Amino acid sequence: MHLSMSDMLHMPKLFISFACTLACVYGTQKNLVLVGGNLQEDNEQVYSLIVELAGGRGNAKIGLVTAANLNPENSAQYYQDMFQGRYGAVEATWIPIDIYRKENNSDPEVVALINGMTGFFFGGGDQIHVIESLYIGDRQESPVLAAIREKFEAGTVVAGTSAGAACQSSAVMIVFVGLSYNALAHGVNDYYDSDIPDEVAYNRSGGIGLAPRFVVDVHFSEKGREGRLIRLLADTKDEPNGATLGVGVDENTALHLTWDTDPDSAVGTVVGAGGVMMVDISSAVISTSSDFDIKDVVTSYLTEEDRVDFATKQVTFALWKQSLAGNERFDHAVGSDDIFSSPYASYRKSREWTRVATSLFNSRLDNIVYGRTYEKNPQFEVVMSNRAGGAEAVGGNSTTTGNYVISYKGMTVRIHPYDATSTTDRCRANVAFLLALVPALPDASVMLNPVWAVMSLFSSASPEQSLTPVKPVIPDSIPVGPEYLAVWNTGPPV
């Protein structure tokens, strides 16, 4: 029995509680809720989902695991106020295990406390602290972790936000922070060095292993973590706990996973305001040259009420969303000169990858769009394409927020070193130079339209979709006059 958020919104809460109680008793369904971090207090969709899966208002007893946090008691108090004070759990109890109280992971009284819970919630912080707290020595499972796992296998819901979600991984586990650019430029390390916090590190042994076998990343679109997930998958796919599939969960958003016996057959449903990206490198071609180069990465971005069957990788969009094919809002896609939302840019562009990708599917004339890293030496270019036969996108107004959202599947990606002296890149620069010289006048349309056609093939950034003038992404040495900006923002003369 699979219960999506869409199903729950149309079911009486009494029946939901009854169904969840049956699942807990008979073990017919596992429920894992992965939240991408920054869970807002008013996110009723996510909080209520967890409470209902734990037995419903007035019945749910939530065990709070805040071992990831350096202030675990304060974190537990916050979530107690949320679950018990605001969302109706009859009990929200701190499980007193953390890096300061590791010995409690073998305490029979704590095990008894866990056995009395109907659900568990892992708070955010540093996922390594969870591993250090719940294991004994070199990865020996503690009695407390064994009790949580047994409850989970019997149907008790487990949820986690930020580090509390990342630590659920069965595959290799990303550790703490780290930037996409650093991962692309330097690779990933199996150790964390606080002196170089921008480097991407991972734990070879993985997390606590409740999630299916894919890599979990969080704060995903907001912090531009697409590049680091792709590089991590590529670098570790052949390791014992490596994987070719990764899932990135946006902030204030959840992926609700359900399955009966085989976690690899899980069905995931997106809950909340953001989205969830799936990254599949199983058919990717990875270069062995000195600089990282990967192509044929398949990506999908799912939003509210979309579902994915992990056994088949089949995506099902919510019924209230309409196909964008033939309903695109703009002529051209819009590229980026900061595709991974660098924190070192003068203005950090949150969710830049998602913006560029959705603009591709929302354009009538383009089937490819480019983005580059803000950082250089080396600089990387991302090439997104929706030419593949299975590529598809839908859009619609959210049933909860009213905001217009776009989902897509089957977009292929290449990431490679950007060389401004290459033939293709020289062509882009030359076309931009021609556009800069040709006045945007009606009698110039015959000359400009062929140039625009070439530009659509080679430009790293297509015409803007708004009326706000912006400088296009072209080399600094190319002169940009007002006539060029006018053409860039309005499209070619007709």
Side-chain angles (χ1 to χ4, degrees):
M1 176 179 62
H2 296 297
L3 296 176
S4 70
M5 189 61 185
S6 178
D7 298 329
M8 291 186 171
L9 290 174
H10 297 91
M11 294 169 58
K13 289 188 175 181
L14 180 62
F15 178 74
I16 297 171
S17 299
F18 176 69
C20 294
T21 300
L22 285 179
C24 291
V25 172
Y26 296 105
T28 57
Q29 178 174 277
K30 315 298 185 298
N31 285 282
L32 183 64
V33 182
L34 305 176
V35 184
N38 196 22
L39 180 59
Q40 298 297 297
E41 295 180 2
D42 62 354
N43 194 329
E44 185 173 356
Q45 283 182 290
V46 173
Y47 274 113
S48 293
L49 170 64
I50 297 168
V51 170
E52 295 301 334
L53 290 171
R57 297 177 71 93
N59 295 302
K61 297 180 179 180
I62 309 294
L64 303 174
V65 182
T66 56
N69 202 290
L70 289 176
N71 296 297
E73 291 172 281
N74 290 345
S75 178
Q77 182 61 58
Y78 173 82
Y79 288 116
Q80 184 179 46
D81 292 342
M82 289 295 100
F83 282 107
Q84 190 172 344
R86 183 163 182 169
Y87 289 100
V90 70
E91 185 179 327
T93 303
W94 179 42
I95 308 299
I97 302 173
D98 47 61
I99 58 174
Y100 312 112
R101 287 165 278 259
K102 293 182 182 179
E103 66 279 1
N104 286 352
N105 67 20
S106 301
D107 189 330
E109 292 186 5
V110 179
V111 172
L113 180 65
I114 285 169
N115 286 331
M117 298 294 105
T118 63
F120 297 95
F121 182 83
F122 285 68
D126 184 345
Q127 47 265 47
I128 281 295
H129 292 162
V130 178
I131 302 302
E132 293 173 345
S133 301
L134 294 182
Y135 284 91
I136 300 170
D138 186 18
R139 285 287 178 149
Q140 177 186 345
E141 188 168 271
S142 70
V144 160
L145 179 55
I148 293 174
R149 191 183 306 281
E150 184 176 353
K151 293 281 288 183
F152 175 72
E153 292 295 333
T156 300
V157 61
V158 172
T161 183
S162 188
C167 74
Q168 306 300 331
S169 179
S170 294
V172 295
M173 182 182 73
I174 295 179
V175 178
F176 207 49
V177 292
L179 301 180
S180 284
Y181 175 77
N182 290 65
L184 296 179
H186 309 140
V188 297
N189 304 310
D190 62 352
Y191 60 90
Y192 174 69
D193 186 344
S194 59
D195 292 332
I196 44 174
D198 291 343
E199 297 297 290
V200 175
Y202 71 99
N203 188 292
R204 290 182 184 273
S205 300
I208 64 176
L210 299 187
R213 195 173 180 83
F214 51 68
V215 176
V216 180
D217 206 352
V218 292
H219 300 280
F220 198 68
S221 295
E222 291 79 8
K223 295 190 176 181
R225 290 180 166 173
E226 299 86 359
R228 82 171 193 174
L229 180 56
I230 291 172
R231 183 66 193 259
L232 177 72
L233 292 170
D235 283 5
T236 63
K237 63 184 179 65
D238 296 324
E239 293 189 9
N241 290 315
T244 57
L245 186 67
V247 169
V249 187
D250 289 351
E251 294 180 355
N252 204 30
T253 305
L255 179 65
H256 174 204
L257 295 160
T258 63
W259 67 90
D260 294 332
T261 56
D262 181 8
D264 290 331
S265 68
V267 172
T269 304
V270 180
V271 183
V276 174
M277 178 174 283
M278 290 176 53
V279 177
D280 182 2
I281 69 160
S282 59
S283 299
V285 178
I286 304 169
S287 171
T288 57
S289 64
S290 57
D291 289 324
F292 183 67
D293 189 332
I294 187 170
K295 64 181 180 180
D296 297 331
V297 178
V298 180
T299 64
S300 299
Y301 185 74
L302 313 184
T303 59
E304 184 179 1
E305 296 185 28
D306 294 338
R307 304 178 74 177
V308 56
D309 183 334
F310 283 94
T312 61
K313 300 178 185 177
Q314 180 178 350
V315 170
T316 304
F317 296 124
L319 293 177
W320 48 267
K321 297 170 185 172
Q322 181 184 33
S323 174
L324 289 188
N327 297 296
E328 299 89 348
R329 295 187 175 189
F330 308 102
D331 283 342
H332 295 282
V334 184
S336 176
D337 60 355
D338 185 11
I339 192 65
F340 296 119
S341 306
S342 173
Y344 297 108
S346 56
Y347 172 75
R348 188 167 193 179
K349 302 174 181 178
S350 178
R351 299 176 57 83
E352 187 72 348
W353 175 295
T354 302
R355 181 195 65 75
V356 173
T358 54
S359 82
L360 175 64
F361 284 95
N362 209 14
S363 67
R364 285 179 281 268
L365 302 179
D366 295 338
N367 54 26
I368 192 167
V369 67
Y370 301 86
R372 297 180 199 155
T373 57
Y374 172 81
E375 297 87 351
K376 300 177 175 62
N377 299 319
Q379 187 175 31
F380 290 89
E381 182 173 66
V382 175
V383 185
M384 303 177 180
S385 171
N386 61 3
R387 292 171 175 167
E392 181 186 356
V394 296
N397 293 100
S398 167
T399 57
T400 55
T401 66
N403 296 331
Y404 187 79
V405 295
I406 292 177
S407 307
Y408 63 82
K409 64 179 181 179
M411 185 183 79
T412 57
V413 171
R414 181 185 180 188
I415 302 177
H416 68 103
Y418 172 70
D419 182 2
T421 64
S422 71
T423 302
T424 299
D425 296 324
R426 282 201 307 271
C427 183
R428 292 180 195 158
N430 290 338
V431 171
F433 181 75
L434 288 173
L435 284 172
L437 295 180
V438 178
L441 298 173
D443 59 2
S445 61
V446 176
M447 181 186 302
L448 195 54
N449 279 327
V451 173
W452 194 269
V454 177
M455 188 69 172
S456 68
L457 295 176
F458 294 105
S459 175
S460 63
S462 299
E464 273 291 349
Q465 295 172 347
S466 70
L467 296 179
T468 305
V470 295
K471 182 180 179 180
V473 184
I474 57 177
D476 295 336
S477 60
I478 300 298
V480 178
E483 299 86 356
Y484 176 60
L485 288 178
V487 174
W488 191 272
N489 286 290
T490 61
V494 294

